Amino acid sequence: DAKTTQPTSMDCAEGRAANLPCNHSTISGNEYVYWYRQIHSQGPQYIIHGLKNNETNEMASLIITEDRKSSTLILPHATLRDTAVYYCIVSSASNAGGTSYGKLTFGQGTILTVHP
Amino acid sequence: DSGVTQTPKHLITATGQRVTLRCSPRSGDLSVYWYQQSLDQGLQFLIQYYNGEERAKGNILERFSAQQFPDLHSELNLSSLELGDSALYFCASSVAGGRGAYGYTFGSGTRLTVV
């Protein structure tokens, strides 16, 4: 799986958009970009994933550059409950005979602190 | 509640002992993954099982072993425990059919303290 680079920490004011960048310059064509977050020692929580198109769900938006070498996770209206470690993960999704490969390799992530 | 159940939530044991951590995957998920999270190592993948068979192995120590049973629950066995084994141990499960990593659901973890 390709390696990712994220800032160690970021701050955001409550109610503002939080934009979390991730570099994955060695990403290959069949690798997806996934975002998970971990709130204070809880189990990691899936946020969003994408291949090459921008994606949006009820939690966040994912913007992937055209060359796919970087991406940005956007939390449109951050709240105090969004304070967490955010992990950007690149992994291939494969289906070989019905099995589920594609283990997640977590880096250090970005500590996002949302301030009142 | 994520649907992935891990027991016990907390475990305190002495060095040299053996413990078993249990994980029940989300209904319908055939894959189970085990991760270790310690303060200085972050989240480390240990091992994956799919429908009872081992599928992938990470940096799992020889003192550690796992298995997945016919009812799909999984157990992680840690033996000859050392102080450095103190960590959070997470289990995750994923949907069958190789839909990729987005299908992973994590449990709330077992906090192991070795004294």
Side-chain angles (χ1 to χ4, degrees):
Chain A
D1 296 338
K3 182 180 169 62
T4 62
T5 304
Q6 299 177 251
T8 302
S9 63
M10 294 184 64
D11 291 334
C12 178
E14 189 177 20
R16 303 297 294 270
N19 298 293
L20 290 86
C22 178
N23 287 321
H24 31 78
S25 58
T26 60
I27 192 171
S28 60
N30 67 339
E31 289 184 312
Y32 288 73
V33 179
Y34 299 85
W35 284 84
Y36 279 72
R37 73 180 182 183
Q38 187 175 24
I39 298 172
H40 189 54
S41 298
Q42 297 178 19
Q45 176 190 24
Y46 165 80
I47 301 173
I48 199 167
H49 78 290
L51 183 62
K52 54 184 177 182
N53 298 319
N54 297 338
E55 302 289 343
T56 296
N57 62 21
E58 65 279 2
M59 288 183 68
S61 295
L62 174 60
I63 308 298
I64 302 174
T65 58
E66 192 169 342
D67 63 8
R68 304 208 324 122
K69 293 185 177 181
S70 66
S71 61
T72 301
L73 177 74
I74 301 172
L75 307 178
H77 306 287
T79 71
L80 299 180
R81 288 164 50 174
D82 291 321
T83 293
V85 180
Y86 286 77
Y87 297 98
C88 169
I89 301 162
V90 171
S91 182
S92 58
S94 63
N95 183 359
T99 60
S100 177
Y101 290 84
K103 64 175 172 63
L104 299 176
T105 301
F106 288 81
Q108 295 304 308
T110 296
I111 301 171
L112 174 68
T113 303
V114 180
H115 299 283
Chain B
D1 181 8
S2 67
V4 177
T5 303
Q6 289 188 248
T7 57
K9 292 194 182 305
H10 302 277
L11 198 50
I12 301 175
T13 189
T15 54
Q17 294 299 304
R18 171 190 170 96
V19 297
T20 298
L21 312 183
R22 181 187 170 102
C23 170
S24 294
R26 199 177 53 167
S27 177
D29 287 357
L30 298 182
S31 274
V32 170
Y33 308 78
W34 286 97
Y35 284 81
Q36 179 193 54
Q37 185 173 36
S38 54
L39 282 175
D40 57 348
Q41 290 292 324
L43 274 158
Q44 299 289 317
F45 169 73
L46 295 178
I47 198 164
Q48 175 199 1
Y49 279 83
Y50 175 81
N51 203 20
E53 294 184 8
E54 181 183 306
R55 284 299 180 187
K57 218 166 185 176
N59 299 322
I60 187 167
L61 300 173
E62 286 191 10
R63 300 183 285 109
F64 295 2
S65 65
Q67 55 184 329
Q68 186 180 29
F69 295 86
D71 67 352
L72 301 178
H73 91 272
S74 177
E75 292 181 355
L76 178 67
N77 300 298
L78 315 177
S79 61
S80 303
L81 285 167
E82 303 174 358
L83 295 178
D85 297 328
S86 296
L88 273 166
Y89 290 84
F90 289 106
C91 168
S93 70
S94 71
V95 298
R99 289 173 61 188
Y102 85 91
Y104 288 27
T105 302
F106 283 81
S108 56
T110 292
R111 182 177 293 278
L112 173 67
T113 303
V114 182
V115 297

